[in-house]
Amino acid sequence: MTTNHSPTPRETYEAIAANIEKVMKGQAAATRRLLAAVASGGHVLLEDFPGTGKTTLAKALALSINVQFKRVQFTPDLLPSDIIGVSVFDQRDRQFHFHEGPVFTNILLADEINRASPRTQSALLEAMAEGQVSVEGERRPLSELFFVVATQNPVEFRGTYPLPEAQMDRFAMQFELGYVSAEQEVAILTDQIHNHPLHLIKPCASEQDLLRLRHAVMEVRISEELKRYIVDVVAATRGASGVQLGASPRASLAVMKTAQAMALFDGSGFVTPEHVQEVVAPVIAHRLVIDPQAKFSGLTARGVVQEVLRRIPVPA
Amino acid sequence: MVKMPPLLLGLTLLFWGWEVELLPLSAVGAVILELPRFIRWRWDFSETDMNRFWDLCYVLFLSALAYSFVTTDVTYATFKFLLWLPLIFFPFVAATAYSAEDCVRLSTFSLFLHRKGREAGSAKPIGWFVSYGYFAICFIAASIVNARDPRFYTAVVVLGAWLLWTIRSRVAPIWMWTMMLVVVSVAGSGGQVGLTELQAWIEDTASRLLTGSDEELTQTRTAIGSIGQLKLSNRIVLRVETNSNSPAPALLRRASFNLYDTSGRKATWLAAGTQFASLQPGPEPTTWVLSERGSSLAATISMSLSRGTGIIPVPNGPCILEGLIAGVVEANRCGSVRVRDSLPLVRYTVKYCGVSTLDAPPNARDLAVPAAEVPAVAQITGELGLAGQSPEEVMRRLATFFHGKFTYRTHLKTAADSSSGQITALNRFLLHDRAGHCEFFATATTLLLRQAGIPARYATGYAVPPKTGAAREHLVRRRHAHAWVLVHVDGTWRDFDTTPAAWGGMEDAEASVFQSLGDLISSLQYRFARWRYYGDRAALINALLWFVPILMLWFSWRLFWKKRRVRLQGHRQREQRPRYAGADSEFYLIEKHLTQAGLPRREGEPLGEWLRRLEAARRAGMRIPSLEEIVVLHYAYRFDPLGITAAQRRELKSRAESWLKEAAGTAAAS
């Protein structure tokens, strides 16, 4: 990569996607979603069973971009200061010095986020929403490129704390990886006979490339009609039966931004209804709070979103 | 969902009317149902109003159901009731047709969901479903008439095909659809004929296996000897009208019996010589002469007769039956008159003379007293000194004896009350209890007369009560069923009733508080039947004139309070959405074309997904020219806020046109 040839935003996307593909076999859709969140400035929550490659995907992304990357393994005894940082008294100059926590980075991998108590989970709220942390009354901005990839096991698993709704709303997207096909699993085995392919990954994009990608996403055009469609879909989740808490306007915003990213990935200068529909489920579903009784009778947030998509007439 | 094709529902209703012979009524209904297609005004009904309309139909439905089960033979009630379904649900269907907005929800149809529906808010309207449901209801109701007529089946096939045509799959070719329709209708026709044959065979076999239905005439089981309360219903069975100069007959006979059998657990009266001989109609086809004897008295009797076959009660000594519409009228030597192939409501004027005209002359059977009853009967005969007296004197003494020393009661004492287990019930009645119901009185009187050497028979039928209130008819209820004696005096059979006269009053006192309501319903049914079968419009209109307004007033008050009529156009207050760019894209012509070809785009389905479905249809053999480039251009035109260049706009237009041409070409080729 030379300085006189800077890749186009779409090339950046394709390069990162190809890099991740080397490690994550058969997860092109998940990669696309993850990058859409990165490109639109949102954070991602990966939820799946242990061993499906959540951490590997997050690490592959971090290693593909030549930026600072930190990882926090969330445990039940983790404290907010373990993430944000702490002021320590220096005996020599008799002053407090702030020791930055792992949150001061470009990419933060919050592994198994729901193993920490809600208190610690909440420490990330301000950082994720506003790109800054306030410690001891002092506002400390994070770097311009700040991106959280959190992973978690399904909430029903032992030793987990469910994320507060407010925290859930901070994640632009949540999606599962799912099990890959048998052939792809065989390929994974073959790849890892000698060493993990993660070790072979080389960065293929710089911080500048990524920021350029983000700016390009903002430039993707979207018509008034589609904005209205997004609002209609999000609003419909609020009135759907069996839903206690519908999606917020922040969700509408996230749908629009990620749809713009998807349009850019497809080389389109404007958003189409397909792009919107593609991102609605991963962007909205995790924000809905389903009525316990409805949940018991088999209603899922994903199902609510699918039903809404089916019902609201899509512009064509 | 596809809307019902024009005129189909109206025609189906007409078809029903034609089958049930209510053509004028159904024509009015059909016009009401189809009119909304031609006029612009509507009612501004809300969801709650539709709920009320449904509730009204529901109430009508339940009342009709209850009514038909109360008033009709249970096996026939279901059928009769189904016949009227189109009428019952008409208000709701008409309301749907005249409603400005489709506000029928699934919740409309359930009282339970009314409430829930309000909470859930916006369920999908399913107004289209109402017309389909009504279509089916009309069909079912029309089929109940069971006309064995090829026209019925033809009409069913035509109407059914009409509906199916509008909702057929556009993917399959028309010849295949037609062929399937022909196959199905021929198979259906065959099945129908086969079923009819099967039914005929079963009926034939069953009638050979079972005994005949005239059993009632050859014997009558009495309640003599049974225990407990006799319970008789208030249902009106007969209506007797008389003109001013002729008194109403006191007794209407159904049958008479001459043999008293005490061998069974319950005493039974049997009759011999019950063979019916059919009569020839007199000068007019509705006049039947039973006897040439001169008659001075007349009464007009109406009764409902399920299946148009049964015994009709007549006063003693019937001479001429007038106005009786029946295929066959038969009489037997026990004084019974039977009609067959008549209407469900028979109405006839009987002219009678009060002395027997049909009954066989007395013989030895009419003097026989069963051995078991002889001791008691002989004892009473002795006490009263009946032997050797003239018949008039015997009858006078018996009447005095029963009226003075006996009481009427429907409650029968238990067997444990009696001192000895071996004495007969009649014995106990005569010697100990001295209380009982008409069967006891009639039986005892018959046997006492016989013991005194006077031929006597046991007769059953109805006692005609006096008119009550302002009624124009004598209402004979089921509880007026009665038994009395036929006594042979002066060479003829006369009615002789020894049951204390108090019995009528006693039974009236026990009449249920619901009797007047039941009478009202019965009266309505009767007027309606008279109008239906005898064209007596005044009878029905009289009844409806005061009944319908009450119902209508109540309903209007509930429904139309503060309601106003709206015009269809001005009313629509739907949120006006701004017109978005690209609404004139030629792509919509393509979409329309494919929708007509049976491949419509679903509501929430974006074009990309739809194209994938079209691709699948193409792989399955449909010829659909490629759409990809057109969709790309169309999308740019629609969703790119920058718009497209004039050249691209032209390209979109030309591509779409050539696509349509190509599609039309392949359609013609296939």
Side-chain angles (χ1 to χ4, degrees):
Chain A
M1 209 184 301
T2 54
T3 46
N4 54 7
H5 168 68
S6 56
T8 64
R10 190 157 179 238
E11 281 169 356
T12 307
Y13 156 72
E14 280 166 355
I16 300 173
N19 222 22
I20 295 175
E21 175 71 17
K22 286 180 197 161
V23 186
M24 295 296 293
K25 304 281 182 214
Q27 294 286 10
T31 309
R32 187 177 148 95
R33 284 177 184 167
L34 179 69
L35 290 176
V38 173
S40 62
H43 309 285
V44 168
L45 177 62
L46 299 172
E47 179 179 312
D48 216 325
F49 303 112
T52 44
K54 299 182 295 289
T55 310
T56 311
L57 177 64
K59 278 169 81 178
L61 171 73
L63 295 174
S64 300
I65 307 167
N66 198 6
V67 291
Q68 213 183 357
F69 164 63
K70 282 183 188 158
R71 169 185 175 153
V72 184
Q73 185 68 42
F74 278 54
T75 54
D77 60 351
L78 198 72
L79 295 173
S81 57
D82 295 336
I83 299 171
I84 292 167
V86 64
S87 289
V88 179
F89 187 71
D90 193 328
Q91 293 280 2
R92 279 175 302 178
D93 54 11
R94 299 188 160 270
Q95 270 184 340
F96 279 99
H97 289 287
F98 182 67
H99 287 247
E100 292 184 339
V103 77
F104 291 89
T105 182
N106 294 120
I107 297 180
L108 176 68
L109 168 57
D111 210 17
E112 309 217 18
I113 189 169
N114 59 346
R115 293 207 180 276
S117 65
R119 174 188 174 199
T120 312
Q121 289 170 4
S122 305
L124 279 172
L125 281 176
E126 187 189 359
M128 286 170 70
E130 295 164 45
Q132 63 174 32
V133 289
S134 303
V135 189
E136 292 159 12
E138 203 181 328
R139 202 177 69 87
R140 292 171 190 272
L142 303 176
S143 63
E144 193 184 351
L145 181 72
F146 173 66
F147 174 64
V148 176
V149 186
T151 71
Q152 72 167 349
N153 292 133
V155 178
E156 289 77 14
F157 273 45
R158 261 166 279 177
T160 61
Y161 298 93
L163 261 61
E165 289 83 14
Q167 177 77 21
M168 277 301 224
D169 202 27
R170 284 344 187 246
F171 285 104
M173 276 191 166
Q174 186 236 48
F175 54 89
E176 297 81 38
L177 297 181
Y179 294 112
V180 294
S181 70
E183 290 78 26
Q184 279 157 342
E185 206 166 328
V186 169
I188 291 171
L189 299 187
T190 313
D191 281 352
Q192 302 197 8
I193 286 180
H194 294 296
N195 51 11
H196 200 288
L198 211 50
H199 301 310
L200 306 175
I201 283 210
K202 297 277 180 291
C204 62
S206 66
E207 183 175 356
Q208 285 310 310
D209 292 335
L210 213 59
L211 289 175
R212 221 178 291 126
L213 175 64
R214 283 194 171 181
H215 283 293
V217 165
M218 291 177 201
E219 297 303 315
V220 172
R221 299 180 295 277
I222 177 162
S223 72
E224 292 297 314
E225 191 181 359
L226 280 180
K227 285 181 203 158
R228 181 64 199 250
Y229 174 62
I230 293 171
V231 170
D232 283 349
V233 167
V234 170
T237 63
R238 294 171 202 155
S241 68
V243 174
Q244 251 177 13
L245 182 67
S248 57
R250 195 190 315 228
S252 308
L253 200 62
V255 170
M256 184 182 77
K257 284 183 172 178
T258 45
Q260 281 175 304
M262 291 293 189
L264 183 119
F265 296 168
D266 283 347
S268 169
F270 58 92
V271 177
T272 67
E274 280 84 347
H275 294 132
V276 176
Q277 286 208 347
E278 184 181 357
V279 299
V280 161
V283 172
I284 294 184
H286 66 281
R287 298 168 205 255
L288 305 183
V289 178
I290 302 294
D291 188 43
Q293 210 171 356
K295 195 188 248 174
F296 193 68
S297 55
L299 188 74
T300 62
R302 226 9 102 85
V304 170
V305 175
Q306 303 292 0
E307 175 57 30
V308 165
L309 277 184
R310 212 175 52 74
R311 210 178 67 213
I312 306 288
V314 63
Chain B
M1 187 63 203
V2 196
K3 270 195 119 179
M4 201 84 166
L7 303 181
L8 179 55
L9 201 59
L11 271 180
T12 313
L13 192 64
L14 272 181
F15 167 62
W16 168 79
W18 175 49
E19 284 294 332
V20 303
E21 291 165 5
L22 281 174
L23 210 50
L25 188 66
S26 69
V28 172
V31 169
I32 291 174
L33 285 188
E34 294 299 335
L35 207 57
R37 291 187 194 274
F38 309 104
I39 57 172
R40 306 284 312 163
W41 65 262
R42 295 287 187 275
W43 292 100
D44 187 13
F45 290 134
S46 71
E47 210 171 313
T48 324
D49 295 328
M50 292 318 285
N51 289 354
R52 287 197 188 132
F53 265 114
W54 177 256
D55 292 348
L56 173 83
C57 290
Y58 201 55
V59 168
L60 283 178
F61 177 86
L62 288 181
S63 336
L65 189 68
Y67 170 59
S68 54
F69 270 98
V70 169
T71 54
T72 327
D73 191 353
V74 174
T75 45
Y76 272 76
T78 325
F79 293 106
K80 284 232 168 131
F81 163 71
L82 285 175
L83 204 63
W84 297 108
L85 281 183
L87 219 52
I88 292 168
F89 288 106
F90 184 80
F92 184 70
V93 179
T96 319
Y98 283 90
S99 170
E101 304 249 345
D102 182 359
C103 31
V104 181
R105 303 282 190 284
L106 193 61
S107 58
T108 308
F109 300 107
S110 149
L111 287 173
F112 172 67
L113 285 179
H114 282 356
R115 208 165 287 276
K116 261 200 141 180
R118 237 168 267 154
E119 286 162 17
S122 58
K124 245 188 179 174
I126 50 166
W128 57 268
F129 169 79
V130 173
S131 39
Y132 283 91
Y134 195 63
F135 179 82
I137 285 175
C138 288
F139 254 95
I140 291 168
S143 67
I144 295 300
V145 177
N146 205 7
R148 308 269 163 83
D149 191 338
R151 283 183 304 175
F152 172 79
Y153 189 69
T154 316
V156 167
V157 169
V158 169
L159 290 174
W162 187 350
L163 179 69
L164 291 173
W165 172 260
T166 57
I167 56 169
R168 74 189 191 279
S169 164
R170 313 280 159 150
V171 180
I174 289 166
W175 63 264
M176 196 189 277
W177 183 86
T178 317
M179 202 175 73
M180 291 310 288
L181 183 75
V182 169
V183 168
V184 168
S185 36
V186 168
S189 168
Q192 189 198 16
V193 171
L195 217 60
T196 314
E197 296 280 316
L198 184 67
Q199 189 191 0
W201 180 79
I202 289 174
E203 277 178 2
D204 188 42
T205 316
S207 67
R208 263 189 277 123
L209 291 174
L210 299 168
T211 50
S213 60
D214 295 341
E215 190 188 20
E216 184 198 6
L217 285 179
T218 57
Q219 63 173 14
T220 182
R221 215 164 263 272
T222 68
I224 292 173
S226 66
I227 291 158
Q229 187 84 22
L230 276 181
K231 279 198 180 137
L232 295 168
S233 84
N234 281 320
R235 219 184 96 192
I236 296 170
V237 282
L238 297 174
R239 286 159 192 276
V240 181
E241 294 162 58
T242 52
N243 49 23
S244 51
N245 50 15
S246 172
L251 299 165
L252 295 175
R253 185 167 18 134
R254 283 168 56 82
S256 67
F257 305 88
N258 51 13
L259 203 64
Y260 187 57
D261 176 21
T262 53
S263 57
R265 200 174 59 81
K266 283 186 184 178
T268 308
W269 276 99
L270 302 169
T274 56
Q275 290 79 12
F276 279 98
S278 66
L279 304 171
Q280 292 303 316
E284 283 178 48
T286 57
T287 302
W288 310 81
V289 177
L290 296 163
S291 160
E292 299 297 337
R293 195 189 270 261
S295 53
S296 54
L297 302 161
T300 304
I301 300 171
S302 308
M303 77 179 287
S304 69
L305 208 56
S306 63
R307 294 178 240 189
T309 297
I311 302 290
I312 56 170
V314 285
N316 192 22
C319 302
I320 302 172
L321 296 171
E322 282 176 354
L324 176 57
I325 302 169
V328 181
V329 176
E330 301 161 313
N332 69 6
R333 304 290 278 163
C334 294
S336 301
V337 179
R338 182 167 72 176
V339 296
R340 279 199 270 176
D341 304 330
S342 184
L343 298 168
L345 176 81
V346 284
R347 187 175 157 78
Y348 52 96
T349 301
V350 55
K351 293 194 169 165
Y352 63 100
C353 55
V355 291
S356 73
T357 49
L358 296 173
D359 303 274
N363 56 26
R365 281 207 196 93
D366 299 321
L367 289 167
V369 178
E373 310 291 1
V374 166
V377 171
Q379 187 186 330
I380 300 292
T381 314
E383 282 175 15
L384 295 177
L386 299 180
Q389 300 290 341
S390 72
E392 285 76 13
E393 182 56 23
V394 171
M395 283 162 69
R396 198 190 58 74
R397 286 188 188 186
L398 279 177
T400 318
F401 171 66
F402 282 115
H403 289 174
K405 299 191 173 165
F406 285 70
T407 53
Y408 179 82
R409 73 172 184 216
T410 50
H411 179 79
L412 304 171
K413 282 199 167 181
T414 60
D417 289 356
S418 62
S419 46
S420 140
Q422 282 307 305
I423 61 167
T424 67
L426 195 70
N427 192 316
R428 200 162 61 238
F429 168 73
L430 278 176
L431 302 177
H432 304 284
D433 292 352
R434 301 223 156 162
H437 51 80
C438 59
E439 286 176 347
F440 282 102
F441 286 98
T443 305
T445 311
T446 309
L447 298 183
L448 287 168
L449 284 167
R450 287 182 177 181
Q451 187 69 27
I454 304 165
R457 286 177 185 171
Y458 175 87
T460 60
Y462 297 99
V464 181
K467 287 182 198 175
T468 51
R472 277 170 300 177
E473 305 142 331
H474 299 264
L475 302 180
V476 181
R477 299 169 195 281
R478 189 163 270 188
R479 64 181 159 82
H480 292 131
H482 195 40
W484 63 95
V485 182
L486 285 181
V487 56
H488 197 256
V489 191
D490 299 338
T492 185
W493 293 99
R494 290 179 189 277
D495 286 332
F496 177 44
D497 188 4
T498 51
T499 308
W503 79 277
M506 262 184 79
E507 301 232 320
D508 286 342
E510 285 170 16
S512 123
V513 289
F514 296 111
Q515 182 179 313
S516 51
L517 184 66
D519 285 0
L520 176 70
I521 295 172
S522 169
S523 166
L524 271 178
Q525 186 202 27
Y526 168 66
R527 310 277 160 210
F528 182 74
R530 268 183 70 177
W531 165 71
R532 176 128 156 62
Y533 298 115
Y534 295 93
D536 195 345
R537 251 161 245 271
L540 178 71
I541 289 165
N542 275 349
L544 290 183
L545 268 181
W546 59 271
F547 186 73
V548 170
I550 296 171
L551 200 74
M552 292 312 292
L553 269 178
W554 171 79
F555 188 63
S556 330
W557 175 77
R558 285 212 60 183
L559 187 63
F560 300 119
W561 201 249
K562 291 184 209 158
K563 271 286 150 210
R564 63 197 153 67
R565 231 169 56 174
V566 292
R567 289 189 72 81
L568 199 54
Q569 211 109 50
H571 166 70
R572 291 284 154 101
Q573 288 179 349
R574 289 235 173 110
E575 203 181 344
Q576 281 297 312
R577 292 202 168 198
R579 280 179 63 81
Y580 292 112
D584 60 339
S585 169
E586 283 75 17
F587 178 80
Y588 293 118
L589 299 174
I590 296 177
E591 188 178 353
K592 197 174 160 199
H593 175 92
L594 284 168
T595 303
Q596 279 167 354
L599 292 164
R601 188 173 67 85
R602 296 186 193 116
E603 237 181 11
E605 187 177 43
L607 292 183
E609 215 171 294
W610 189 41
L611 286 189
R612 276 195 287 284
R613 271 203 307 130
L614 293 182
E615 186 57 43
R618 195 178 291 138
R619 275 200 301 276
M622 279 192 80
R623 290 188 203 157
I624 306 165
S626 171
L627 268 171
E628 311 288 341
E629 289 108 347
I630 302 175
V631 167
V632 169
L633 276 173
H634 169 74
Y635 258 5
Y637 186 37
R638 288 277 284 118
F639 298 116
D640 192 343
L642 291 182
I644 53 174
T645 63
Q648 282 173 316
R649 181 72 189 84
R650 278 195 299 277
E651 195 189 344
L652 172 62
K653 189 171 159 96
S654 70
R655 272 179 188 273
E657 278 165 0
S658 64
W659 187 94
L660 283 170
K661 226 173 272 170
E662 197 182 336
T666 53
S670 68

